[in-house]
């Protein structure tokens, strides 16, 4: 549900464009609220626990700066103080506490290694935390970021998938640019050019990893690919197709409606673009997107989040 200021903003925007009543009605039904962050100033660390991008987090003793299995420490991407948001865009998102986002190796560009933590304890326990001593950062040569304090502004968005976006892009490009493809958001939309990333997240987090690049195929296609793999001498891959991918595909197709509905529960928790001022460039000027299942968010469970890098 849109907050009154955003409802008024949407009414104003629609009145400025010559739209048919049916199209106006559809936009009103589909419009959602998101919160966009803006770079305020280079972080000086005079405040503790404020929202920021890059630099050093303010961690409590209960949260350690994470490292990967090779002993390299993750890159700190952001801390979001939820009390600084103008409103909670989702009823499962608390109005209090801090979300911390850390990133591991961003290759490949899907299901990227990362950590998300939530803290809602005593703010006096927070302390500016430096990376672990004696360890190196993941991808250190590409992550010399400049930290910025950030502020927030509510915005209007429309869902990334669906025919509505195609209609607006084709006939009302200015309106499309106002309502679609926003980044640098808390609870915003994903970049649609990257495909259905919500489905990718759902498949990877629900034991259907074999379908990430195969969900749209037929059983006969999988059998054919398995035969071709055998002829190439790729017996292990052929066995994977037959013993893992094929059973998953059969179950997925038999319960397609259930799976499609469940994948729609996944939503962007945080998106970060290639911010020049910060020194961030995600592959080819892409977008870093942290996803979460809304059911997990209601339970404040951040152990199953998913990260994708949307890039051309």
């Amino acid at each position: 549900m849109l907050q009154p200021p955003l409802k008024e903003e949407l009414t104003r925007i629609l009145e400025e464009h010559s739209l048919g009543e049916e199209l106006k009605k559809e936009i009103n039904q589909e419009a959602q609220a998101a919160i966009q962050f803006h770079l305020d100033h280079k972080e000086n660390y005079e405040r503790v626990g404020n929202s920021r991008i890059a630099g050093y987090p303010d961690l409590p003793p209960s949260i350690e700066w994470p490292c990967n299995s090779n002993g390299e420490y993750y890159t700190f991407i952001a801390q979001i103080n939820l009390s600084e948001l103008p409103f909670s865009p989702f009823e499962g998102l608390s109005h209090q506490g801090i979300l911390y986002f850390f990133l591991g190796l961003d290759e490949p560009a899907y299901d990227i290694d990362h950590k998300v933590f939530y803290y809602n304890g005593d703010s006096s326990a927070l302390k500016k935390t430096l990376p672990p001593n004696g360890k190196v950062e993941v991808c250190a040569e590409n992550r010399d970021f400049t930290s910025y304090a950030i502020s927030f502004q509510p915005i209007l968005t429309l869902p990334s998938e669906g025919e509505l976006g195609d209609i607006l892009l084709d006939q009302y490009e200015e309106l499309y640019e106002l309502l679609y493809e926003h980044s640098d958001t808390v609870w915003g939309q994903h970049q649609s050019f990257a495909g259905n990333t919500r489905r990718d997240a759902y498949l990877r987090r629900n034991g259907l990893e074999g379908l990430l690049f195969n969900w749209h195929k037929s059983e006969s296609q999988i059998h054919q690919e398995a035969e071709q793999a055998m002829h190439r001498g790729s017996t292990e891959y052929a066995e994977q197709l037959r013993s893992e991918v094929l059973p998953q595909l059969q179950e997925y197709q038999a319960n397609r409606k259930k799976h499609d509905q469940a994948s729609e529960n996944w939503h962007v928790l945080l998106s970060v673009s290639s911010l020049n001022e910060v020194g961030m460039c995600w592959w080819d000027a892409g977008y870093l997107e942290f996803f979460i299942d809304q059911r997990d968010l209601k339970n404040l469970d951040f152990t199953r989040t998913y990260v994708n890098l949307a890039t051309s």
Side-chain angles (χ1 to χ4, degrees), residues 281-301:
C281 186
W282 306 115
W283 286 35
D284 187 14
Y287 303 83
L288 192 66
E289 299 175 330
F290 293 77
F291 288 79
I292 192 168
D293 189 321
Q294 296 179 45
R295 294 166 295 186
D296 290 337
L297 184 54
K298 286 182 178 179
N299 295 322
L300 297 178
D301 179 3

Side-chain angles (χ1 to χ4, degrees), residues 45 53-56 65-68 72-78 101-115 131 136-147 272-283 287-290 307-309:
Y45 301 100
I53 292 289
Y56 306 116
W65 194 307
C67 296
N68 64 19
E72 300 169 313
Y73 66 84
Y74 288 62
T75 301
F76 170 63
I77 297 298
F101 299 83
F102 292 86
L103 187 71
L105 179 65
D106 56 347
E107 292 183 19
Y110 60 90
D111 202 5
I112 296 170
D113 191 18
H114 71 285
K115 297 290 182 183
V136 297
E137 184 178 17
V138 177
C139 300
E141 65 278 8
N142 299 318
R143 297 186 180 178
D144 186 19
F145 300 151
T146 300
S147 183
V272 182
S273 67
S274 293
L275 297 165
N276 290 332
E277 299 93 329
V278 179
M280 289 179 173
C281 186
W282 306 115
W283 286 35
Y287 303 83
L288 192 66
E289 299 175 330
F290 293 77
V307 173
N308 179 73
L309 201 158

Side-chain angles (χ1 to χ4, degrees), residues 251-269:
E251 193 281 332
Y252 182 79
Q253 291 176 338
N255 299 282
R256 180 64 183 270
K257 185 176 181 180
K258 178 194 75 172
H259 289 301
D260 286 349
Q261 290 175 340
S263 69
E264 291 176 0
N265 283 323
W266 285 81
H267 203 285
V268 172
L269 179 61

Side-chain angles (χ1 to χ4, degrees), residues 213-272:
F213 302 109
N214 297 299
W215 64 270
H216 59 289
K217 296 178 182 177
S218 65
E219 291 184 40
S220 61
Q221 284 178 292
I222 299 300
H223 282 296
Q224 183 180 12
E225 289 182 14
E227 288 295 329
Q228 292 171 345
M230 287 294 293
H231 287 307
R232 295 194 307 268
S234 302
T235 55
E236 185 175 340
Y237 180 57
E239 177 60 24
Q240 180 187 5
L241 288 172
R242 290 170 175 157
S243 64
E244 178 184 329
V245 176
L246 188 58
Q248 290 180 13
L249 181 62
Q250 292 168 335
E251 193 281 332
Y252 182 79
Q253 291 176 338
N255 299 282
R256 180 64 183 270
K257 185 176 181 180
K258 178 194 75 172
H259 289 301
D260 286 349
Q261 290 175 340
S263 69
E264 291 176 0
N265 283 323
W266 285 81
H267 203 285
V268 172
L269 179 61
L270 177 72
S271 69
V272 182

Side-chain angles (χ1 to χ4, degrees), residues 111 114 200-207 266 304-307:
D111 202 5
H114 71 285
D200 295 347
Y202 169 74
L203 294 175
R204 295 288 290 188
R205 291 296 177 270
N206 288 276
W266 285 81
R304 297 190 333 120
T305 50
Y306 178 91
V307 173

Side-chain angles (χ1 to χ4, degrees), residues 32-52:
Q32 299 177 14
I35 297 174
Q36 192 167 50
F37 70 78
H38 300 274
L39 304 181
D40 266 3
H41 56 80
K42 289 185 179 180
E43 181 61 83
N44 53 26
Y45 301 100
E46 291 180 355
R47 296 172 57 204
V48 175
N50 62 294
S51 299
R52 71 175 64 113

